[in-house]
Amino acid sequence: DIINTTSRIQVECNKYSVDILITEDFKMLLPSYHHYSFSEIGSFILRVKTKEIKLLTVLEKPTLPGRLAAIYK
């Protein structure tokens, strides 16, 4: 299931000519996703599933507060 989903996301990545695509579910697992800018790019439904999978691309690097910004330059 994970391999099939990953493969479909890769196809969509190529289709939209973007470097990074993530699912909405993965975004919610990121500890500080609010530091990033995302754009919903589309969605798809796997053949054997009924749940729509929303895809997002990351638009910008995170804006990190103070000390973290210095570390990740």
Side-chain angles (χ1 to χ4, degrees):
D1 191 47
I2 291 172
I3 292 173
N4 186 30
T5 302
T6 304
S7 176
R8 285 293 307 277
I9 291 171
Q10 178 63 45
V11 168
E12 296 298 309
C13 200
N14 294 336
K15 176 179 162 182
Y16 291 107
S17 298
V18 294
D19 293 327
I20 299 172
L21 278 180
I22 62 170
T23 64
E24 178 75 20
D25 292 341
F26 183 78
K27 173 189 165 188
M28 300 311 283
L29 294 173
L30 294 172
S32 46
Y33 69 86
H34 56 278
H35 291 298
Y36 293 83
S37 295
F38 299 94
S39 176
E40 188 173 324
I41 203 162
S43 61
F44 66 90
I45 298 174
L46 292 172
R47 281 183 227 146
V48 295
K49 305 279 184 177
T50 56
K51 180 184 174 191
E52 180 180 60
I53 298 173
K54 291 183 182 179
L55 296 172
L56 306 134
T57 188
V58 180
L59 298 176
E60 298 176 14
K61 291 181 181 179
T63 18
L64 300 171
R67 291 168 113 190
L68 289 176
I71 294 170
Y72 291 104
K73 273 190 175 184

